[in-house]
Amino acid sequence: MQTNTTESPLTSLQFKHLSRFAHYLLTEQIQAFIDFQLHQARELNVPLLKVLDKMPQDQVAELTYIQNKEFLEYLARNEARLFIEISAGRWAENQLPQIDQHEIVAEDITLIGLTRKRAFLHFAVGYVASTEQLAALVNEIDLFITAQTTASTNVYIQLLQNKIDEHLHFIHQINTTTPGAIYVFDQEHYKGIYSNGKLKEILGYDHDDLNRLGPNVFNELIHPDDQITARKNAAKIRTIPDGHIHSYKFRIKKNGEYKWVRLYESVFKRNRDGVVTQTIGIALDVDREKRIADQLREREEQLLEAQNIARIGSSTWYFEEE
């Protein structure tokens, strides 16, 4: 996955005070620094802790020590910018130890930044010798946390965009490969609000054609013998429970001839009162199957009638082998 490589003005800064402070934490306070962050993370209920809580405690201790040691080493070498790039790249490429990239949520970005800042400030009080030094150090801490949060946010947005793109591709593949017309119908305004572009192929009319007709679609397009049944079935969708699929068929005038279609419909959306406002469905051309089935049924009836007229039945002969 490509990440945003545009350099932030913040990451081009040198963190001289933070570098010396990181060296102090690394050599004298590393475990206390780690423990303080974990305590703060639990107080703030950082979502990522749920992942760590599934791991054995000794493994958590080892993982947090390695990560914080590496983090402080980069800062001590005044390589804050490089650390931000590497950590963002690991997340973007799903190379974080023990953590899947999609297990990190937006709250983790802000809350982890906050816990790290609190830890810095907590130990800074006993480290600096003057208020001027403290002000300079706090300024660099703020700049560093801001830069890292910005880089992490960019990665998070890119991951979300990738998921959206994958989802859209998935929907596109379904829409283009499904042998039917998928549609969403607005029951309140009695019009279609979405279709996958196959309505013309299946029904003989496109999205706009059907919306122009509105409720008149029954009188104008549906076979007279099927209109009452079609109306009742269309209205029934308003009463079915969520997850239930309602199916019915009727003949629709297509290119001057009536063709059989079958609809499969379900509830797509309800309002606050629980009233169905939108339905989703798929329309299939079943004309050929329906006509074949009718022909087979007709031939079977003809055969039975011929047997009755001739007063014969159908039988099966069994021959025993000697």
Side-chain angles (χ1 to χ4, degrees), residues 44-234:
L44 294 170
N45 197 25
V46 176
L48 198 57
L49 285 176
K50 296 177 181 179
V51 179
L52 297 180
D53 288 340
K54 297 177 183 179
M55 301 165 53
Q57 288 302 307
D58 57 341
Q59 190 175 354
V60 173
E62 180 182 8
L63 178 64
T64 54
Y65 181 85
I66 292 173
Q67 289 181 332
N68 278 274
K69 182 174 181 292
E70 181 189 41
F71 161 63
L72 292 173
E73 285 175 342
Y74 273 100
L75 295 189
R77 295 195 299 266
N78 203 2
E79 296 178 340
R81 176 176 178 272
L82 180 59
F83 172 78
I84 291 172
E85 291 178 353
I86 290 175
S87 58
R90 287 174 180 169
W91 184 17
E93 300 299 329
N94 201 19
Q95 294 180 355
L96 297 174
Q98 307 297 326
I99 298 171
D100 182 83
Q101 62 183 180
H102 297 299
E103 291 178 315
I104 300 175
V105 298
E107 290 82 356
D108 288 316
I109 298 174
T110 54
L111 294 180
I112 289 175
L114 179 58
T115 60
R116 184 162 282 172
K117 179 177 179 178
R118 285 183 177 181
F120 277 140
L121 296 178
H122 175 79
F123 290 95
V125 174
Y127 167 75
V128 297
S130 67
T131 55
E132 290 79 7
Q133 289 179 340
L134 180 60
L137 177 58
V138 169
N139 180 60
E140 290 188 3
I141 290 172
D142 284 340
L143 289 173
F144 171 76
I145 296 298
T146 301
Q148 187 171 34
T149 301
T150 300
S152 297
T153 302
N154 287 337
V155 174
Y156 185 68
I157 292 172
Q158 186 61 56
L159 291 175
L160 290 179
Q161 185 61 54
N162 290 345
K163 291 183 71 174
I164 292 172
D165 291 342
E166 291 174 2
H167 184 64
L168 291 175
H169 176 71
F170 178 72
I171 293 176
H172 175 73
Q173 290 299 103
I174 291 178
N175 284 340
T176 55
T177 59
T178 299
I182 300 173
Y183 57 90
V184 176
F185 188 78
D186 188 323
Q187 294 284 339
E188 290 184 310
H189 302 94
Y190 210 90
K191 66 176 183 178
I193 58 176
Y194 168 80
S195 69
N196 65 341
K198 290 192 174 182
L199 285 173
K200 185 79 172 180
E201 176 186 342
I202 302 300
L203 302 181
Y205 308 89
D206 62 22
H207 194 82
D208 295 332
D209 292 335
L210 297 175
N211 281 343
R212 277 193 293 269
L213 286 171
N216 291 327
V217 69
F218 292 96
N219 294 331
E220 297 290 334
L221 303 181
I222 295 179
H223 193 286
D225 294 344
D226 300 334
Q227 289 180 14
I228 295 178
T229 302
R231 287 179 185 275
K232 289 182 179 179
N233 278 285

Side-chain angles (χ1 to χ4, degrees), residues 247-289:
S247 175
Y248 58 101
K249 64 180 183 292
F250 54 83
R251 284 163 290 185
I252 188 169
K253 189 183 295 182
K254 180 180 179 182
N255 300 325
E257 297 182 51
Y258 284 106
K259 303 289 185 179
W260 283 99
V261 295
R262 177 174 285 278
L263 306 186
Y264 295 86
E265 296 183 329
S266 186
V267 174
F268 186 68
K269 188 176 181 180
R270 297 179 185 271
N271 62 19
R272 293 181 179 179
D273 298 324
V275 177
V276 176
T277 57
Q278 293 178 8
T279 55
I280 187 170
I282 180 171
L284 299 176
D285 183 343
V286 296
D287 188 73
R288 182 172 180 273
E289 291 81 355

